[in-house]
Amino acid sequence: MSSSGDVQADCSRCFGLCCVALPFTASSDFAVDKPSGVACHNLLDDFSCGIHDRLRDSGFAGCTVFDCFGAGQHLSQHTFGGISWRQAPETAGAMFAAFPVMRGLHELLWYLADALAREETTSLHEQLKARRREVMELTERDAQALRAVDLNAERARTGDLLGLASRLVRGQNPGPEHRGADLMGARLRRADLRAANLRGALLIAAEVRQADLRRADLLGADLRDTDVRGTDLTDALFLTQPQVSAARGDENTRLPVGLERPQHWE
Ligand code: SF4
C-alpha cells in the first residue's frame, strides 16, 4: 500500500499513469502526438516501457525528465486499491483526471519535506508539519474529491511557508537576488551563487558550469539545458529530479542527497 507521504516515484507499483493520462505534442521531447487518456504505443501490458533503455535515442527525451513524486503509485495502489484501468476500464477517466492533481500535491510534499529536513527551519517546523498534514489529507481523498482540489490555492498556501523557510536557510547574508529573472543563456561560469534566490528564474541554456549554488533557492527555476557541469548543488533548496534531469551535468556535478545523477549525463 502506498503512503501519501512517499514522494519517490516507484514505477513498479504504478499503472503507467504518466504514459496514459498526460497528452504529448510531437516535438524534440516526444516523437508523436498523443491525447490525454490514450496509452502511449510503447507502454507494455505490465505497465513498463518497451523502450526504457533507449528513450532519448527514440525521440522520447521528455520521458526522461518527468517525475511524478510518487503520485502514480499512490493513485494506483491506494486511491484505486490496486485495480488498474485495464482491469476496470470504467475507472479510467476518473483515474487519469486525478493524476495531475495528485502529482501537484505530491510535488508540494516534496518541497515541504525538503524544508523540514533543514536545521535552520526549526522555528518553522510546527507550521511546516501542519501544512504537510493538510496536503496529505487532500491526497487521501477519493478521485472525485481530488478533482475538486484547488491546486493553485494549495500552491499559494504552501509557497508562503516555503518562502519563510528559504529566508531562514539562506541566512542573514543571502546571495544574489534573481527571483523570476530572465537568465536564459547567461554566462555564469564559476559564479558565486551561494544562498542566491533563483526562484522561478529562467536559466534555460545558461552556463552555470562550476558555479557554487549551495543553499541557493531553486524553487520552480527552469533548468532546461542549463550547463551544470562541475556545479556544486549540494545543499540547493527545493531542487527536484525533473530540474536535474533537464539540465546538462557531468560526473563532477554535486547533487543534494536524494537526487539521482541522470543516466543521460554520461
Ligand atoms: S515512451 Fe515509455 S516512458 Fe515514455 S510515455 Fe511511452 S511508455 Fe511511457
Side-chain angles (χ1 to χ4, degrees):
M1 189 69 75
S2 174
S3 149
S4 62
D6 186 353
V7 290
Q8 297 284 353
D10 180 355
C11 302
S12 70
R13 293 191 290 144
C14 175
F15 299 143
L17 295 183
C18 61
C19 311
V20 189
L22 303 179
F24 300 165
T25 301
S27 62
S28 57
D29 282 336
F30 297 108
V32 295
D33 279 319
K34 182 190 85 58
S36 169
V38 173
C40 171
H41 65 274
N42 294 314
L43 187 68
L44 303 179
D45 288 346
D46 65 355
F47 302 111
S48 65
C49 172
I51 58 167
H52 180 69
D53 55 351
R54 54 185 192 285
L55 280 164
R56 291 201 154 232
D57 291 342
S58 305
F60 286 84
C63 302
T64 66
V65 302
F66 183 82
D67 194 296
C68 74
F69 300 98
Q73 75 253 24
H74 187 176
L75 266 181
S76 299
Q77 302 302 330
H78 188 75
T79 315
F80 285 87
I83 309 294
S84 80
W85 50 272
R86 281 190 172 130
Q87 291 168 285
E90 68 279 8
T91 65
M95 200 181 295
F96 302 154
F99 179 65
V101 181
M102 186 67 93
R103 182 184 184 270
L105 294 173
H106 269 244
E107 186 176 7
L108 295 182
L109 291 174
W110 171 275
Y111 296 136
L112 289 164
D114 189 354
L116 276 163
R118 312 273 175 162
E119 276 180 24
E120 302 91 329
T121 64
T122 303
S123 60
L124 263 188
H125 275 194
E126 288 313 310
Q127 289 179 72
L128 288 165
K129 285 179 187 171
R131 181 85 274 255
R132 184 172 64 177
R133 275 195 302 275
E134 289 167 359
V135 177
M136 286 175 71
E137 278 168 21
L138 293 175
T139 70
E140 296 300 318
R141 292 183 173 185
D142 65 23
Q144 192 176 1
L146 268 171
R147 289 172 68 175
V149 170
D150 184 343
L151 207 44
N152 286 333
E154 298 305 327
R155 284 185 178 126
R157 272 183 213 120
T158 308
D160 291 344
L161 211 44
L162 298 180
L164 294 175
S166 173
R167 269 180 233 132
L168 289 171
V169 171
R170 291 185 298 116
Q172 300 289 336
N173 298 302
E177 178 64 42
H178 292 305
R179 181 172 183 154
D182 184 349
L183 297 170
M184 287 206 299
R187 303 183 74 170
L188 296 163
R189 188 168 183 171
R190 294 202 176 92
D192 183 358
L193 293 168
R194 282 176 294 172
N197 185 358
L198 288 158
R199 275 189 176 214
L202 296 178
L203 285 155
I204 299 168
E207 185 187 7
V208 192
R209 190 173 184 183
Q210 295 169 325
D212 190 344
L213 277 90
R214 286 175 290 168
R215 290 187 295 116
D217 183 346
L218 287 162
L219 184 78
D222 193 333
L223 300 184
R224 280 176 291 167
D225 211 24
T226 306
D227 184 354
V228 294
R229 288 174 293 171
T231 304
D232 193 347
L233 293 156
T234 310
D235 296 325
L237 193 55
F238 306 136
L239 185 63
T240 64
Q241 192 65 50
Q243 286 172 304
V244 170
S245 298
R248 277 189 298 124
D250 64 8
E251 70 277 11
N252 296 316
T253 306
R254 299 186 68 188
L255 294 171
V257 173
L259 295 181
E260 292 179 5
R261 195 174 305 278
Q263 283 184 355
H264 57 267
W265 280 10
E266 290 166 6

